[in-house]
Amino acid sequence: MAEIGFYHLTRTSLDVALPKLLGRVLATGGRAVVKAASDERVAALDTALWLCPDPDWLPHGTRASGEADLQPIWLTTDDEAPNGARHLFLVEGAESARLDAFERVFDLFDGRDETAVAAARQRWAAAKAAGHALTYWRQAERGWERG
């Protein structure tokens, strides 16, 4: 079973929160897949990761840039891990049928969007019913707090 953390974004946007979490994964020598709901979001995240100031270097790739096996971070809409990632980031309500293939899953959702919050609650219930270890994190003034 995967360890799934639900990350309730209330203080910053995904474009600000995601790079910091990805940076932590890379700092431990890990690899990550970021699964988005649309190709447009993949393209926007691709740009955001190249331009983010903290951390200032997040090597990554997409289907458009290729060479997935060489990329520490892979951005996709597909349910895949062609870079051998053990960390999965689900954004914009993206879901995976392969949760067990990962050590850790990060489900990031926009706390200012009631539809996104309701969908996250449904994903939580499904993951709990499937027997995954769940944690809940919310953004606080000084960073992430476990709820």
Side-chain angles (χ1 to χ4, degrees):
M1 293 288 124
E3 178 185 336
I4 304 173
F6 285 79
Y7 288 77
H8 193 158
L9 300 170
T10 57
R11 299 183 62 81
T12 63
S13 68
L14 175 67
D15 292 350
V16 173
L18 181 63
K20 292 181 183 191
L21 292 169
L22 287 169
R24 290 180 184 173
V25 168
L26 292 186
T28 66
R31 288 176 162 245
V33 167
V34 179
K35 184 178 181 203
S38 68
D39 289 328
E40 293 79 17
R41 187 45 143 170
V42 167
L45 289 173
D46 182 30
T47 300
L49 293 185
W50 285 126
L51 298 176
C52 74
D54 182 27
D56 64 353
W57 176 244
L58 289 171
H60 65 277
T62 67
R63 208 174 323 130
S65 59
E67 299 191 61
D69 58 323
L70 300 177
Q71 306 297 338
I73 299 169
W74 185 248
L75 308 175
T76 187
T77 58
D78 296 325
D79 205 2
E80 62 179 356
N83 63 343
R86 303 295 297 148
H87 297 84
L88 172 64
F89 288 78
L90 299 170
V91 300
E92 288 192 323
E95 297 186 45
S96 173
R98 305 177 60 244
L99 297 175
D100 287 335
F102 299 92
E103 291 172 14
R104 184 110 192 259
V105 177
F106 300 74
D107 187 318
L108 286 77
F109 62 97
D110 185 350
R112 295 168 287 203
D113 178 343
E114 284 303 316
T115 302
V117 172
R121 287 185 180 126
Q122 290 177 342
R123 292 190 304 275
W124 173 283
K128 185 174 183 176
H132 295 287
L134 306 179
T135 56
Y136 169 78
W137 299 87
R138 69 176 173 272
Q139 284 182 319
E141 192 173 321
R142 295 187 177 174
W144 292 103
E145 288 183 353
R146 193 170 178 167

